[in-house]
Amino acid sequence: MSNNKKQIKRKFTGNIVGVDGGTLRQRKDVYEMCFWFMDNYLPRHRSLDIDIWLRRAKDIDDCHGWTERGDSGRQHFEIELNKELKGDDFSTLVFHELVHVQQYAKGWLKDLNKKGSKVWWRGFQYENFDYYKQPWERQAYRNQEKINKEWKKYLKTRTRRILTIDVK
């Protein structure tokens, strides 16, 4: 995360989210989605550090987004997202990648060679496995729509934004 980019640390949880790129509205939405997700799907995790970059599709490696564990330990994660997606497509992508954060944080998923071609998933090792048959991807695709529906339900019932953020 660049030095001039604000990172938000949520009181009482200790979790940190940094967002770079995209529009101000996208950054605020991503912050709110991340903290809502952590509150609901990772409530016991208190030391997550998530860096998120919002980029144009052509700047991302032939996909809409990716997630990997950062170099500074098990609780640091890096996510890159296609900022050109809108509406449900964008929020679904955010939740898809956050499911991968959940998988890493809970120890279900481990990238053994930092390239994604050799992975440990819930006690089994996978090498050069077809993307759509990877069990961690299948779980993320299964859960992304369900989580997005819960998110939209939450948005209808809340009375104010969780975070008031002044980011530039």
Side-chain angles (χ1 to χ4, degrees), residues 10-48:
R10 183 81 174 276
K11 289 181 182 177
F12 310 115
T13 67
N15 294 325
I16 299 171
V17 175
V19 182
D20 190 22
T23 65
L24 178 62
R25 169 88 272 137
Q26 284 176 317
R27 288 192 303 273
K28 285 184 176 184
D29 288 346
V30 169
Y31 279 120
E32 190 170 357
M33 284 186 261
C34 286
F35 285 116
W36 176 86
F37 181 88
M38 289 186 285
D39 286 346
N40 288 280
Y41 290 91
L42 294 165
R44 294 183 178 187
H45 288 76
R46 300 283 186 248
S47 59
L48 299 177

Side-chain angles (χ1 to χ4, degrees), residues 55-67:
R55 303 281 186 246
R56 294 177 302 183
K58 70 178 189 172
D59 297 332
I60 302 175
D61 297 335
D62 195 29
C63 60
H64 289 302
W66 55 262
T67 299

Side-chain angles (χ1 to χ4, degrees), residues 1 5-9 16-19 31 49-51:
M1 197 65 17
K5 186 48 62 190
K6 276 193 176 179
Q7 290 190 334
I8 304 301
K9 184 173 183 176
I16 299 171
V17 175
V19 182
Y31 279 120
D49 181 1
I50 304 172
D51 290 331

Side-chain angles (χ1 to χ4, degrees), residues 77-147:
F77 306 96
E78 298 174 354
I79 299 174
E80 197 161 309
L81 301 169
N82 178 355
K83 70 178 183 178
E84 296 167 343
L85 295 176
K86 305 289 181 221
D88 279 352
D89 291 336
F90 184 74
S91 58
T92 299
L93 172 64
V94 172
F95 292 127
H96 178 97
E97 298 307 330
L98 288 172
V99 168
H100 292 314
V101 168
Q102 178 188 39
Q103 293 166 342
Y104 280 120
K106 289 191 172 193
W108 301 339
L109 178 63
K110 295 178 185 174
D111 190 350
L112 300 176
N113 65 357
K114 201 76 166 136
K115 298 176 186 173
S117 60
K118 191 173 183 182
V119 175
W120 182 88
W121 169 256
R122 292 191 169 195
F124 296 96
Q125 184 172 314
Y126 294 85
E127 290 187 44
N128 301 317
F129 215 65
D130 180 55
Y131 175 81
Y132 291 104
K133 292 183 180 178
Q134 295 170 351
W136 54 95
E137 288 297 341
R138 293 178 67 175
Q139 182 187 49
Y141 279 109
R142 241 185 353 263
N143 290 338
Q144 69 186 18
E145 298 297 335
K146 176 181 83 82
I147 296 167

